[in-house]
Every structure is written in C-alpha cells, then in structure tokens.
C-alpha cells in the first residue's frame, strides 16, 4: 500500500493550497514538509528532488511531481474528479484555468507595494465580479444542476469554492449579486470531505500574515521592488 502523499512547500497557501484542497476533497490524507529557510529549499534542489528547481513538489505514487497544474491534473484524474470524457475535461479545464487566474491575482496582492495595494484590490474585485463570477453564475443557472460540469462533483467545483472563499476575504459581500453562487457555496461546503477541510485544525492554511511575508520572500528569494 502506497504511503500518504507528501507535500513540500512553505507553511502557507501559495501555489500549494489548491493541491491541499483537491487532496482533501478526494478524501486523501497527506503529510507536509515545510521549507522554513532558504537553505531548506536549496537542499531540495541539491538533492535532485525538484525537476525544474522549484516547489510545489509532491511525492505521490513513487513520483516526485512538480508543476502545480501537472500535480492537480494527476490528482483529479486519479480520484475521478476530472469528468467522464474528453469534452467534460476540456470544460473543466476552462473553468479551472479561470479560477487559477483569479487566485494568482489574489496571491500576489500581499507583494504589491503599499501605494499600489488599493488599486490592485479594486482590480481583483472588478475582475471577480465582471469577468469570472458571472460565467459560473450563468453556467449553474442555465443547466440547473448542483455541479459545474456533467452533474457530478469535479475539481472545477472544488477550485471554484476555494476561489470564492479567498475572494470573500478581499470583499466579504462579493457574492451579493450572485444568488446561484451563494447556493453553490453552501452546497459544496457541506460535502463531507470539504466540510472536514473547512473545520478549524485542518491542513487548510489561513491568509498570509503580513509579519511572515519577509520570511517567505527570503525563502524564495523574491523581491517586491
């Protein structure tokens, strides 16, 4: 029997958080190895763990997987969260790529210089409410089903819920004009594996504490200039 997947990243959200979400949604227990210093990351590189010299990295099924989308595709395919045929997978991919675009904007918000943050936040809210959320609202309304694709639970539902929740951290009433998405949020949040992941004490990570930002930037050698 294969051991639990092992996740290598810093102790925070970043690009690993969606991987945590998807494993949790699939009911898969996982372990984490945190990079606490720049030296921890360099050791992973020197030991040959990182194919392209970067994390996230997930040890799973005898592989050391890197590249976030490749990892997510593998987990979704393995755990039946990727549609029943090629057309459903294509639709799931389109929905997922959009949520990841919005996630990326939100992820980079703490890296903005102070004078640019208000404008950047306004851009996040504008794109969420005019470009992205209307698409999901219409899709769910038009087909009248509980899930985004094929009337079955998929990674598209998992990643949309994650995106909704982090967008609400930016603006708590961001779903005020999207009643179908409000119902979707409540429904998907109550799926047992998701509900468990949303409970205190789970491996779901909180928003990045600004006090920890310098440490994270040091680990990954990031500059916000």
């Amino acid at each position: 029997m294969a051991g639990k997947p092992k996740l290598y990243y810093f102790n925070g959200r970043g690009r690993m958080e969606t991987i945590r979400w998807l494993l949790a949604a699939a009911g898969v227990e996982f372990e984490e190895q945190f990079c606490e210093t720049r030296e921890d990351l360099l050791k992973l590189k020197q030991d040959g763990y990182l194919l392209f010299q970067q994390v996230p990295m997930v040890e799973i099924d005898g592989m050391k997987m890197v590249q976030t989308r490749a990892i997510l595709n593998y987990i979704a395919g393995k755990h039946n969260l990727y549609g029943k045929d090629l057309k459903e997978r294509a639709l799931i991919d389109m929905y997922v790529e959009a949520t990841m675009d919005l996630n990326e904007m939100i992820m980079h918000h703490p890296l903005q210089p102070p004078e640019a943050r208000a404008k950047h936040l306004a851009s996040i809210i504008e794109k969420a409410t005019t470009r992205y959320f209307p698409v999901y609202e219409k899709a769910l309304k038009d087909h009248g089903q509980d899930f985004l694709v094929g009337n079955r639970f998929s990674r598209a539902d998992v990643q949309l819920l994650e995106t909704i929740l982090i967008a609400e951290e930016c603006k708590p009433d961001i779903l005020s004009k999207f009643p179908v998405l409000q119902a979707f949020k409540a429904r998907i949040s109550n799926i047992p594996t998701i509900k468990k992941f949303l409970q205190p004490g789970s491996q779901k990570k909180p928003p990045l504490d600004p006090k920890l930002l310098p440490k994270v930037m040091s680990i990954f050698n990031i500059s916000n200039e």
Side-chain angles (χ1 to χ4, degrees), residues 18 67-70 72-73 82 89-105 131-132 135-136 148 155-157 159-160 163:
T18 300
Q67 296 297 332
T68 306
R69 286 169 171 79
L72 290 167
N73 291 347
Y82 216 168
R89 178 174 172 172
L91 189 53
I92 287 169
D93 282 342
M94 286 192 288
Y95 286 149
V96 159
E97 287 296 323
T99 59
M100 293 181 80
D101 286 347
L102 184 53
N103 281 3
E104 191 84 3
M105 286 187 67
R131 180 184 295 183
Y132 298 115
V135 172
Y136 304 113
L148 275 170
R155 65 180 293 195
D157 304 300
Q159 292 183 238
L160 177 54
T163 300

Side-chain angles (χ1 to χ4, degrees), residues 29-217:
E29 294 184 357
F30 57 88
E31 300 174 349
E32 299 192 76
Q33 178 72 46
F34 297 125
C35 294
E36 299 286 356
T37 65
R38 177 76 178 158
E39 287 67 35
D40 290 341
L41 181 59
L42 291 174
K43 187 174 190 310
L44 288 176
K45 294 180 181 182
Q46 292 161 1
D47 290 348
Y49 271 44
L50 307 179
L51 187 63
F52 296 109
Q53 306 298 309
Q54 62 191 20
V55 289
M57 191 273 282
V58 176
E59 283 191 284
I60 184 170
D61 296 341
M63 299 182 288
K64 293 180 174 66
M65 291 198 71
V66 295
Q67 296 297 332
T68 306
R69 286 169 171 79
I71 297 166
L72 290 167
N73 291 347
Y74 182 80
I75 294 166
K78 178 177 181 177
H79 295 286
N80 220 14
L81 295 169
Y82 216 168
K84 71 178 187 298
D85 57 31
L86 198 56
K87 286 186 176 180
E88 286 193 359
R89 178 174 172 172
L91 189 53
I92 287 169
D93 282 342
M94 286 192 288
Y95 286 149
V96 159
E97 287 296 323
T99 59
M100 293 181 80
D101 286 347
L102 184 53
N103 281 3
E104 191 84 3
M105 286 187 67
I106 298 171
M107 188 191 314
H108 281 91
H109 184 63
L111 300 177
Q112 302 300 309
E115 65 275 12
R117 284 179 190 163
K119 184 177 180 180
H120 189 259
L121 179 60
S123 179
I124 289 170
I125 294 167
E126 190 269 334
K127 286 183 169 64
T129 55
T130 65
R131 180 184 295 183
Y132 298 115
F133 289 169
V135 172
Y136 304 113
E137 178 86 358
K138 184 177 187 300
L140 289 163
K141 185 176 182 180
D142 285 353
H143 64 45
Q145 298 169 345
D146 286 349
F147 307 108
L148 275 170
V149 179
N151 202 24
R152 61 187 289 183
F153 185 47
S154 77
R155 65 180 293 195
D157 304 300
V158 179
Q159 292 183 238
L160 177 54
L161 178 62
E162 179 198 6
T163 300
I164 286 171
L165 294 181
I166 63 171
E168 286 182 330
E169 292 171 356
C170 297
K171 188 175 190 294
D173 65 347
I174 201 165
L175 288 187
S176 61
K177 296 180 180 178
F178 302 101
V180 177
L181 281 182
Q182 292 175 36
F184 171 88
K185 171 191 164 185
R187 186 167 60 248
I188 303 302
S189 294
N190 274 303
I191 291 173
T193 54
I194 299 287
K195 188 173 183 178
K196 181 180 179 182
F197 189 59
L198 292 173
Q199 298 304 307
S202 80
Q203 288 166 290
K204 178 179 178 293
K205 305 307 180 194
L208 181 64
D209 184 338
K211 295 178 182 177
L212 295 178
L213 184 58
K215 177 181 178 181
V216 174
M217 294 176 71

